[in-house]
């Protein structure tokens, strides 16, 4: 059954929850009348109701009882308490999709019922501009159709890939935390431009577009990044001198270490 035939609930309407709501509606995946959202902050809910025409409530029961699938967009630190609050309202007919970082599907199954259908997703903050990189994994009771529904939802805010759950900590390290690694890169490139005489606005725009363009080349050409790098590094030219400076300062190792540190913390949070 496709998503448009489902009633969709979202618990937690922070940045990620709001991004998913807007993405689902923008992509025509579900009608606003079939979407239910709950949060503790009523003014934000009412603003979403006015903007999107969805159903809102400060009571999670309203979202859970009226929805076929429930997206949990709350902080991992409060997830257990949220689950315990509506556990008695869950049955095998409802699909649970969690985006809580570091929380295994098994934890959610234990807090609800052992036959609960759970999908775990690791998106990233780029969902706010429709360019998220999301990884989807299935719990022990989730079906292939459940996974397809999750892929459909998260494809509305970027791209999505199906990944075994035991690799979700690695996903967190690469794409979940990844945007935060790239923002300082853009800032540093812009700083270099300013140091060389560019105004800040122009330098930042050029740096950001360069990162966007490079990423698009990797995705669309499907060439190895090293091959693309070689395409723009002519002998004794400006680019190879810049690349040498990066290598001399250990940029590759720094990024690899960042991924490993984030993945390690994700594992710790899941214990």
């Amino acid at each position: 059954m496709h998503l448009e035939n489902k009633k969709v609930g979202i618990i937690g309407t922070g940045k990620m929850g709001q991004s998913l709501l807007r993405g689902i509606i923008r992509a025509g995946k579900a009608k606003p009348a079939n979407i239910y959202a709950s949060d503790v902050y009523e003014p934000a809910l009412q603003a979403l109701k006015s903007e999107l025409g969805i159903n809102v409530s400060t009571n999670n029961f309203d979202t859970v009882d009226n929805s076929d699938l429930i997206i949990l967009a709350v902080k991992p630190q409060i997830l257990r308490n949220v689950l315990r609050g509506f556990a008695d309202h869950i049955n095998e007919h409802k699909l649970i999709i969690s985006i809580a970082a570091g929380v295994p599907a098994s934890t959610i199954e234990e807090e609800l019922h052992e036959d609960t259908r759970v999908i775990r997703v690791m998106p990233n903050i780029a969902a706010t501009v429709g360019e998220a990189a999301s990884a989807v994994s299935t719990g022990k009771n989730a079906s292939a159709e459940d996974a397809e529904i999750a892929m459909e939802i998260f494809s509305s805010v970027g791209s999505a890939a199906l990944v075994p759950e035991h690799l979700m900590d690695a996903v967190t390290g690469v794409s979940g935390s990844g945007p935060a690694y790239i923002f300082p890169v853009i800032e540093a490139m812009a700083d270099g431009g300013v140091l060389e005489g560019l105004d800040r606005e122009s330098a930042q725009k050029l740096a950001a577009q360069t990162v966007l363009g490079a990423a698009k080349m990797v995705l669309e050409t499907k060439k190895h990044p090293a091959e693309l790098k070689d395409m723009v590094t002519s002998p004794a030219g400006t680019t190879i001198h810049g690349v040498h400076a990066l290598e001399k300062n250990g940029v590759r190792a720094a990024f690899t270490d960042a991924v490993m540190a984030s993945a390690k913390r994700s594992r710790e949070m899941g214990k």
Side-chain angles (χ1 to χ4, degrees):
M1 188 181 291
H2 292 296
L3 183 60
E4 58 262 29
N5 299 316
K6 302 277 190 182
K7 290 185 177 180
V8 180
I10 294 186
I11 295 177
T13 56
K15 286 186 175 65
M16 194 62 69
Q18 289 188 30
S19 297
L20 289 170
L21 285 167
R22 293 189 180 98
I24 290 167
I25 293 171
R26 183 175 58 245
K29 300 296 184 182
K31 297 176 182 177
N34 287 339
I35 298 176
Y36 298 80
S38 54
D39 201 299
V40 294
Y41 189 57
E42 189 165 10
L45 288 174
Q46 293 303 322
L48 285 171
K49 182 178 181 179
S50 299
E51 176 192 349
L52 303 174
I54 62 173
N55 305 284
V56 300
S57 175
T58 55
N59 191 332
N60 290 338
F61 292 161
D62 293 331
T63 295
V64 172
D65 292 344
N66 286 294
S67 303
D68 299 308
L69 66 94
I70 299 105
I71 300 170
L72 303 174
V74 299
K75 299 287 186 185
Q77 295 90 332
I78 66 168
L79 180 61
R80 285 181 184 270
N81 286 337
V82 171
L83 292 171
R84 289 167 185 167
F86 63 75
D88 292 340
H89 291 243
I90 296 296
N91 56 47
E92 69 274 12
H93 301 297
K94 295 185 184 291
L95 173 63
I96 304 296
I97 300 175
S98 170
I99 65 171
V103 182
S106 59
T107 297
I108 298 169
E109 291 160 356
E110 289 165 7
E111 291 293 342
L112 298 177
H113 301 286
E114 62 179 19
D115 57 355
T116 303
R117 293 151 52 217
V118 178
I119 298 284
R120 181 181 170 190
V121 183
M122 184 69 246
N124 65 22
I125 193 62
T128 57
V129 292
E131 292 293 347
S134 301
V136 176
S137 65
T138 58
K140 65 180 182 180
N141 302 309
S143 66
E145 182 187 12
D146 294 335
E148 287 175 13
I149 288 170
M151 293 284 285
E152 191 176 349
I153 290 171
F154 286 87
S155 292
S156 72
V157 291
S159 64
L162 200 58
V163 174
E165 190 180 14
H166 73 274
L167 294 176
M168 273 302 208
D169 295 316
V171 168
T172 300
V174 174
S175 56
S177 302
Y181 313 154
I182 303 304
F183 296 140
V185 170
I186 294 171
E187 182 186 21
M189 289 174 66
D191 284 348
V194 172
L195 188 63
E196 289 294 328
L198 288 171
D199 65 272
R200 171 64 61 181
E201 184 179 356
S202 296
Q204 184 166 301
K205 185 175 182 179
L206 289 167
Q209 180 62 39
T210 297
V211 171
L212 177 64
K216 198 167 184 180
M217 285 183 72
V218 173
L219 292 171
E220 293 190 1
T221 67
K222 296 182 171 31
K223 293 181 184 293
H224 193 285
E227 185 178 353
L228 294 172
K229 180 204 70 180
D230 287 349
M231 287 169 54
V232 293
T233 50
S234 53
T238 58
T239 304
I240 193 62
H241 277 75
V243 170
H244 173 68
L246 292 174
E247 298 289 7
K248 187 168 64 174
N249 285 281
V251 167
R252 287 175 188 263
F255 275 101
T256 302
D257 286 350
V259 171
M260 294 172 66
S262 176
K264 179 174 181 278
R265 179 58 182 150
S266 179
R267 281 190 291 273
E268 291 170 352
M269 290 172 64
K271 290 179 180 178

